[in-house]
Structures are given as structure tokens and as C-alpha cells.
Amino acid sequence: SVIEFITYRLHDHTTADDARRYRDDAEVKAAWEKEPFLRLRKYLTDAGLWDDAQEKAWIEDSGKRVDEEINAYLNTPVQPVEAMFDYLYAELPSELITQRTEAMAREHRA
């Protein structure tokens, strides 16, 4: 059989997107039936290689890893405003020098 698609966006792009405006529920329902991870889970379960206990442990472990990364991000010091100028160009274009100074002044650090 021919693969109709490799992936299909099952949800809206963003919270501002409402995909129901340009596709119907039948299309999305058909895509869920071909969703690769659900099909893989069924295949592994049927083959005796995966079960609910393993999935529960995997979900718990994954959640912990995500939480660790979120906390690492939240604990990362905020960069100074000039960093967006200093690390974007090897040599700052002259027209941005004023903008950099103004941005720093707005942080009361000039």
C-alpha cells in the first residue's frame, strides 16, 4: 500500500489557530486511526513487548525529565538586554549601536 502521509497535524498550530475552519472532523478522525505512535503501541502490545505498566513508568520518567529541563530553564539567569545585540552579529552594524544604547538606558544601566 502507498503511504498517504508520514505525519498529520492532529491539533491546532497554536492557541490562536482553529483548524476546524479549514478541515472537518471526519478528516481528523481518519488521521487519528493512522497516527503512528498509537499504531506502534498497538503493534508492540500485540507482540508482547509493551504493556500498561511499562507505559506508566515511561510516562512518569518522561514527566520527571521534562520537569528537570523546565526547572533548568527557569533557573537560568536572565540575559542582559544588550545580549541580543552583542551575540547576533560578529560586528554590530552602526545603525544598531544607538538602539543598543537606548535599550540599555531603558533598563537604567547605561
Side-chain angles (χ1 to χ4, degrees):
S1 70
V2 176
I3 296 175
E4 293 180 27
F5 52 81
I6 296 175
T7 63
Y8 184 91
R9 185 178 43 81
L10 295 165
H11 301 285
D12 298 333
H13 284 291
T14 66
T15 56
D17 178 38
D18 182 2
R20 294 174 297 179
R21 291 179 298 128
Y22 49 85
R23 64 182 188 192
D24 61 29
D25 290 339
E27 180 181 339
V28 177
K29 183 179 179 183
W32 271 110
E33 293 174 8
K34 297 177 182 177
E35 200 283 323
F37 286 108
L38 296 177
R39 291 173 51 218
L40 177 61
R41 181 201 297 147
K42 180 176 178 359
Y43 172 81
L44 292 172
T45 301
D46 291 348
L49 301 170
W50 192 251
D51 59 32
D52 288 340
Q54 287 173 297
E55 184 154 343
K56 183 179 178 184
W58 175 78
I59 289 170
E60 186 176 320
D61 181 60
S62 297
K64 286 179 184 176
R65 290 180 185 207
V66 168
D67 288 343
E68 288 171 5
E69 294 303 321
I70 289 170
N71 289 329
Y73 167 75
L74 292 174
N75 290 321
T76 301
V78 175
Q79 294 292 310
V81 71
E82 67 269 19
M84 68 179 159
F85 296 95
D86 296 345
Y87 301 109
L88 184 59
Y89 299 96
E91 190 172 317
L92 190 64
S94 59
E95 61 269 14
L96 295 182
I97 293 172
T98 302
Q99 287 184 22
R100 181 183 185 274
T101 303
E102 289 172 0
M104 290 173 64
R106 287 184 183 190
E107 282 197 340
H108 308 290
R109 296 185 307 110

